[in-house]
Coordinates of all heavy atoms in Angstrom, one line a residue:
K2 N 0.6 2.1 -0.8 CA 1.2 3.4 -0.9 C 0.6 4.3 0.1 O -0.7 4.4 0.2 CB 1.1 4.1 -2.3 CG 2.0 3.3 -3.3 CD 2.0 4.1 -4.6 CE 2.8 3.3 -5.7 NZ 2.9 4.0 -7.0
K3 N 1.5 5.1 0.8 CA 0.9 6.1 1.7 C 0.6 7.4 0.9 O 1.3 7.8 0.0 CB 2.0 6.5 2.7 CG 2.2 5.4 3.8 CD 3.2 5.8 4.8 CE 3.4 4.7 5.8 NZ 4.2 5.1 6.8
R4 N -0.5 8.1 1.2 CA -0.9 9.3 0.6 C -0.4 10.4 1.5 O -0.4 10.5 2.7 CB -2.5 9.4 0.6 CG -3.0 8.3 -0.2 CD -3.1 8.5 -1.6 NE -3.7 7.5 -2.4 CZ -3.5 7.1 -3.5 NH1 -2.5 7.7 -4.2 NH2 -4.1 6.1 -4.1
L5 N 0.1 11.5 0.8 CA 0.6 12.6 1.6 C -0.5 13.8 1.5 O -1.3 13.9 0.4 CB 1.8 13.2 0.9 CG 3.0 12.3 0.8 CD1 4.2 13.1 0.0 CD2 3.6 12.1 2.2
T6 N -0.5 14.5 2.6 CA -1.4 15.7 2.5 C -0.8 16.8 1.7 O 0.4 16.7 1.3 CB -1.7 16.2 3.9 OG1 -0.5 16.7 4.5 CG2 -2.2 15.1 4.9
S7 N -1.6 17.7 1.3 CA -1.1 18.8 0.4 C 0.1 19.5 1.2 O 1.0 20.0 0.6 CB -2.2 19.7 0.0 OG -2.8 20.3 1.1
Q8 N -0.1 19.7 2.6 CA 0.9 20.4 3.3 C 2.2 19.6 3.3 O 3.3 20.1 3.1 CB 0.5 20.7 4.7 CG 1.4 21.4 5.6 CD 1.7 22.8 5.2 OE1 0.8 23.4 4.5 NE2 2.9 23.3 5.4
Q9 N 2.2 18.3 3.4 CA 3.4 17.4 3.4 C 4.1 17.5 2.0 O 5.2 17.5 1.9 CB 3.0 16.0 3.8 CG 2.7 15.7 5.2 CD 2.1 14.5 5.5 OE1 1.5 13.8 4.6 NE2 2.2 13.9 6.7
E10 N 3.2 17.5 1.0 CA 3.7 17.5 -0.3 C 4.5 18.8 -0.6 O 5.5 18.9 -1.4 CB 2.6 17.3 -1.4 CG 3.0 17.2 -2.7 CD 1.8 17.2 -3.7 OE1 0.9 16.4 -3.4 OE2 2.0 17.7 -4.9
F11 N 3.9 19.9 -0.1 CA 4.5 21.2 -0.2 C 5.8 21.3 0.5 O 6.8 21.9 -0.1 CB 3.5 22.3 0.3 CG 4.0 23.7 0.2 CD1 4.1 24.3 -1.0 CD2 4.5 24.4 1.3 CE1 4.6 25.6 -1.2 CE2 4.9 25.6 1.3 CZ 5.0 26.2 0.0
E12 N 5.9 20.8 1.7 CA 7.2 20.7 2.4 C 8.3 19.9 1.7 O 9.4 20.4 1.6 CB 7.0 20.1 3.8 CG 6.0 21.1 4.6 CD 6.7 22.5 4.9 OE1 7.9 22.6 5.0 OE2 5.9 23.4 5.1
I13 N 7.9 18.8 1.1 CA 9.0 18.0 0.4 C 9.3 18.9 -0.9 O 10.4 18.9 -1.3 CB 8.4 16.6 0.0 CG1 8.2 15.9 1.2 CG2 9.2 16.1 -1.0 CD1 7.5 14.5 1.1
M14 N 8.4 19.4 -1.6 CA 8.7 20.3 -2.8 C 9.6 21.4 -2.5 O 10.4 21.7 -3.2 CB 7.4 20.6 -3.5 CG 7.6 21.1 -4.9 SD 8.1 19.9 -6.0 CE 7.8 20.5 -7.5
K15 N 9.3 22.0 -1.3 CA 10.3 23.1 -0.9 C 11.6 22.7 -0.7 O 12.6 23.5 -1.1 CB 9.7 23.8 0.4 CG 8.7 24.7 0.2 CD 8.4 25.7 1.3 CE 8.6 25.0 2.7 NZ 8.2 25.8 3.9
L16 N 11.8 21.5 -0.2 CA 13.2 21.0 0.0 C 13.9 20.7 -1.3 O 15.1 21.0 -1.4 CB 13.1 19.7 0.8 CG 12.7 19.8 2.3 CD1 12.5 18.5 3.0 CD2 13.7 20.6 3.0
V17 N 13.1 20.2 -2.2 CA 13.7 19.9 -3.5 C 14.1 21.1 -4.3 O 15.2 21.2 -4.8 CB 12.8 18.9 -4.4 CG1 13.3 18.8 -5.7 CG2 12.7 17.6 -3.6
L18 N 13.1 22.0 -4.4 CA 13.4 23.3 -5.1 C 14.4 24.1 -4.5 O 15.0 25.0 -5.2 CB 12.0 24.0 -5.3 CG 10.9 23.2 -6.2 CD1 9.6 24.0 -6.3 CD2 11.5 23.0 -7.5
D19 N 14.6 24.1 -3.2 CA 15.6 24.8 -2.5 C 17.0 24.4 -3.1 O 17.9 25.3 -3.2 CB 15.5 24.7 -1.0 CG 16.5 25.5 -0.2 OD1 16.5 26.8 -0.5 OD2 17.2 24.9 0.7
K20 N 17.1 23.1 -3.3 CA 18.4 22.6 -3.8 C 18.7 23.2 -5.2 O 19.8 23.6 -5.7 CB 18.4 21.0 -3.9 CG 18.2 20.4 -2.6 CD 19.1 20.9 -1.4 CE 18.9 20.1 -0.2 NZ 18.1 20.9 0.8
F21 N 17.6 23.4 -6.1 CA 17.8 24.0 -7.3 C 18.2 25.4 -7.2 O 19.0 25.9 -7.9 CB 16.4 24.0 -8.1 CG 16.1 22.8 -8.9 CD1 15.2 21.9 -8.6 CD2 16.9 22.4 -10.0 CE1 14.9 20.7 -9.3 CE2 16.7 21.2 -10.7 CZ 15.7 20.4 -10.3
L22 N 17.6 26.1 -6.2 CA 18.0 27.4 -6.0 C 19.4 27.7 -5.6 O 20.2 28.4 -6.1 CB 17.1 28.1 -5.0 CG 17.2 29.5 -4.6 CD1 16.9 30.4 -5.8 CD2 16.4 29.9 -3.3
W23 N 19.9 26.8 -4.6 CA 21.4 26.9 -4.2 C 22.3 26.5 -5.3 O 23.2 27.1 -5.5 CB 21.5 25.9 -3.0 CG 21.2 26.6 -1.7 CD1 20.1 26.3 -1.0 CD2 21.8 27.7 -1.1 NE1 20.1 27.1 0.2 CE2 21.2 27.9 0.1 CE3 23.1 28.4 -1.4 CZ2 21.5 28.9 1.0 CZ3 23.3 29.5 -0.5 CH2 22.7 29.6 0.6
L24 N 21.9 25.5 -6.0 CA 22.7 25.1 -7.2 C 22.8 26.2 -8.3 O 23.9 26.4 -8.8 CB 22.2 23.7 -7.8 CG 23.0 23.0 -8.8 CD1 24.4 22.8 -8.2 CD2 22.3 21.9 -9.3
G25 N 21.7 26.8 -8.6 CA 21.9 27.9 -9.6 C 22.6 29.0 -9.2 O 23.4 29.5 -9.9
F26 N 22.6 29.4 -7.9 CA 23.5 30.5 -7.4 C 24.9 30.1 -7.2 O 25.8 30.9 -7.5 CB 22.9 31.1 -6.1 CG 21.7 32.0 -6.3 CD1 20.5 31.7 -5.7 CD2 21.9 33.2 -6.9 CE1 19.4 32.6 -6.0 CE2 20.8 34.1 -7.2 CZ 19.6 33.6 -6.6
I27 N 25.2 28.9 -7.0 CA 26.6 28.5 -6.9 C 27.1 28.4 -8.3 O 28.3 28.9 -8.4 CB 26.6 27.0 -6.3 CG1 26.3 27.2 -4.7 CG2 27.9 26.4 -6.5 CD1 26.2 25.8 -4.0
I28 N 26.3 28.0 -9.3 CA 26.9 28.0 -10.6 C 27.1 29.4 -11.2 O 28.2 29.7 -11.7 CB 26.0 27.2 -11.5 CG1 26.0 25.8 -11.3 CG2 26.3 27.5 -13.0 CD1 24.9 24.9 -11.9
M29 N 26.2 30.3 -10.8 CA 26.5 31.7 -11.2 C 27.6 32.3 -10.3 O 28.4 33.1 -11.1 CB 25.2 32.5 -10.9 CG 24.1 32.2 -11.8 SD 22.6 33.1 -11.5 CE 22.9 34.6 -12.3
G30 N 27.9 31.9 -9.1 CA 29.1 32.4 -8.5 C 30.3 31.9 -9.1 O 31.4 32.6 -9.1
F31 N 30.3 30.6 -9.5 CA 31.4 30.0 -10.2 C 31.8 30.8 -11.4 O 32.9 31.0 -11.9 CB 31.2 28.6 -10.3 CG 32.4 27.8 -11.1 CD1 33.6 27.7 -10.4 CD2 32.2 27.4 -12.4 CE1 34.6 27.1 -11.1 CE2 33.4 26.8 -13.0 CZ 34.5 26.6 -12.3
G32 N 30.7 31.2 -12.1 CA 30.8 32.0 -13.4 C 31.4 33.3 -13.2 O 32.3 33.7 -14.0
M33 N 31.2 33.9 -12.0 CA 31.8 35.3 -11.7 C 33.3 34.9 -11.4 O 34.1 35.8 -11.8 CB 31.3 35.8 -10.4 CG 29.8 36.4 -10.8 SD 29.8 37.8 -11.9 CE 30.6 39.1 -10.9
Y34 N 33.6 33.8 -10.7 CA 35.1 33.5 -10.4 C 35.8 33.3 -11.7 O 36.9 33.7 -12.0 CB 35.1 32.3 -9.6 CG 36.4 31.7 -9.4 CD1 37.4 32.4 -8.6 CD2 36.8 30.6 -10.0 CE1 38.6 31.8 -8.4 CE2 38.1 30.1 -9.9 CZ 38.9 30.7 -9.2 OH 40.3 30.2 -9.0
Q35 N 35.1 32.6 -12.7 CA 35.7 32.3 -14.0 C 35.9 33.6 -14.7 O 36.9 33.8 -15.4 CB 34.9 31.3 -14.7 CG 34.8 29.9 -14.2 CD 36.2 29.2 -14.4 OE1 36.8 29.2 -15.5 NE2 36.6 28.5 -13.4
M36 N 35.0 34.6 -14.7 CA 35.1 35.8 -15.3 C 36.4 36.6 -14.9 O 37.1 37.3 -15.7 CB 33.9 36.6 -15.1 CG 32.8 36.2 -15.9 SD 31.3 37.3 -15.6 CE 31.5 38.5 -16.9
F37 N 36.7 36.5 -13.6 CA 37.8 37.3 -13.1 C 39.1 36.5 -13.3 O 40.1 37.1 -13.4 CB 37.6 37.5 -11.6 CG 36.5 38.5 -11.3 CD1 35.5 38.0 -10.4 CD2 36.5 39.7 -11.9 CE1 34.5 39.0 -10.2 CE2 35.5 40.6 -11.7 CZ 34.5 40.4 -10.7
T38 N 39.1 35.1 -13.4 CA 40.3 34.4 -13.4 C 40.7 33.9 -14.8 O 41.8 33.8 -15.2 CB 40.4 33.2 -12.4 OG1 39.2 32.3 -12.8 CG2 40.1 33.6 -11.0
V39 N 39.8 33.5 -15.6 CA 40.0 32.8 -16.8 C 39.7 33.7 -18.0 O 40.6 34.3 -18.6 CB 39.2 31.5 -17.1 CG1 39.5 30.8 -18.4 CG2 39.6 30.5 -16.0
S40 N 38.4 33.9 -18.4 CA 38.0 34.8 -19.4 C 36.7 35.2 -19.2 O 35.8 34.5 -18.5 CB 38.2 34.2 -20.8 OG 37.1 33.1 -20.9
I41 N 36.1 36.4 -19.7 CA 34.9 36.9 -19.6 C 33.9 36.0 -20.2 O 32.8 35.7 -19.6 CB 34.8 38.3 -20.1 CG1 35.6 39.2 -19.2 CG2 33.4 38.8 -20.1 CD1 35.7 40.7 -19.5
S42 N 34.2 35.5 -21.5 CA 33.2 34.7 -22.2 C 33.0 33.3 -21.5 O 31.8 32.9 -21.5 CB 33.8 34.5 -23.6 OG 35.0 33.8 -23.7
N43 N 34.0 32.8 -21.0 CA 33.8 31.5 -20.3 C 33.0 31.6 -19.0 O 32.1 30.9 -18.7 CB 35.2 30.9 -19.9 CG 35.1 29.5 -19.3 OD1 34.1 28.8 -19.6 ND2 36.2 29.1 -18.6

Side-chain angles (χ1 to χ4, degrees):
K2 290 185 178 179
K3 292 185 179 182
R4 303 276 183 208
L5 296 176
T6 65
S7 60
Q8 182 64 28
Q9 291 171 329
E10 182 180 332
F11 179 72
E12 291 297 322
I13 291 172
M14 193 66 164
K15 276 193 330 186
L16 291 171
V17 170
L18 293 178
D19 185 50
K20 302 307 183 260
F21 275 110
L22 182 66
W23 276 109
L24 187 61
F26 281 114
I27 287 171
I28 290 172
M29 290 177 81
F31 181 70
M33 287 296 289
Y34 171 75
Q35 290 290 315
M36 284 179 92
F37 291 126
T38 58
V39 179
S40 70
I41 291 177
S42 62
N43 190 20

